[in-house]
Amino acid sequence: MRRLAIVEFLSVDGVMQGLGSPDEDRDGGFEHGGWGVPFGAALGEVLSPDVGAQTSAYVFGRRTYEKMAAFWPNRPDTDPMAASLNSTPKYVATRTLADLAWSGATVLDGEVLDAVSALKADGSGTIVALGSGDLVRQLMSAGLVDELRLFVHPLLIGTGKRLFGGLPSPSSLHLQDIASTSLGTVALTYSVGEWFSSAVPVTTAQASAV
């Protein structure tokens, strides 16, 4: 059984849209694209040298796949992230792409939640979803996510697509690791637990103190 980990780069107010460049995603008239670039130089301070070593598969939404496929195959394997992405199986949730040029990339077959459940049940290691906001929200709502790895940049953007949407029920998160960079980015790793109401009972004294 494999775990499913979500890796996301966010502002403090949860925005994930247009992280990398001005024209990455202008949906809704978003004009703040590229906001994550100034903080990229310090990410090596919180990333393990063997980043991707435990990753046995990646899953992407169509938009994220197209952006990743245009960049990472051109990076040398001396970059550990490029080495992992280029050599590891990749699965894409798409109804519009049939032929995927990136080596090792395959279209998820059938209904996406069933397909990801089947991937989790087959093999070992960790399946990692990068970006892919629409897909990730579906996976979280279905209870398929085991771990959140959030890189929170010190910005309030105010508008734009946010990672977290509605969920069928609250869920508890258990902090596994926390680190920060010299530029103020906080790296948080959480395991996803049981429903909050049963996992963390609130006593009368605690309720009255709030």
Side-chain angles (χ1 to χ4, degrees):
M1 187 74 177
R2 293 194 276 194
R3 291 173 59 79
L4 176 60
I6 304 303
V7 177
E8 302 291 350
F9 297 85
L10 310 171
S11 65
V12 170
D13 52 344
V15 174
M16 62 182 300
Q17 184 174 359
L19 171 81
S21 67
D23 295 319
E24 180 178 316
D25 183 355
R26 290 185 177 272
D27 282 1
F30 188 71
E31 295 293 337
H32 307 299
W35 53 269
V37 174
F39 305 100
L43 287 176
E45 299 170 12
V46 293
L47 290 175
S48 169
D50 62 349
V51 59
Q54 301 301 315
T55 302
S56 56
Y58 290 94
V59 292
F60 303 114
R62 189 265 305 168
R63 260 190 180 178
T64 298
Y65 166 78
E66 289 180 324
K67 291 179 174 61
M68 302 283 279
F71 178 77
W72 287 105
N74 304 313
R75 297 285 297 169
D77 281 350
T78 51
D79 180 332
M81 193 66 215
S84 177
L85 282 164
N86 291 327
S87 64
T88 303
K90 295 163 282 287
Y91 298 90
V92 184
T94 177
R95 294 187 178 90
T96 58
L97 301 179
D99 298 318
L100 304 181
W102 196 359
S103 177
T106 305
V107 174
L108 281 171
D109 187 30
E111 201 280 325
V112 64
L113 298 180
D114 291 339
V116 173
S117 293
L119 284 177
K120 290 187 65 177
D122 181 25
S124 59
T126 301
I127 302 168
V128 171
L130 293 168
S132 310
D134 289 341
L135 172 62
V136 164
R137 282 186 286 274
Q138 292 181 61
L139 297 173
M140 288 194 292
S141 292
L144 292 174
V145 175
D146 301 294
E147 185 174 286
L148 297 177
R149 303 174 189 171
L150 308 178
F151 295 84
V152 183
H153 295 320
L155 287 173
L156 294 172
I157 298 178
T159 62
K161 299 174 186 175
R162 287 166 167 78
L163 172 61
F164 298 107
L167 292 171
S169 297
S171 180
S172 62
L173 301 177
H174 306 287
L175 183 64
Q176 301 297 310
D177 190 50
I178 183 169
S180 62
T181 75
S182 56
L183 295 179
T185 297
V186 179
L188 301 163
T189 301
Y190 291 101
S191 63
V192 180
E194 301 298 328
W195 299 132
F196 183 86
S197 57
S198 60
V200 187
V202 178
T203 67
T204 303
Q206 289 172 322
S208 62
V210 174

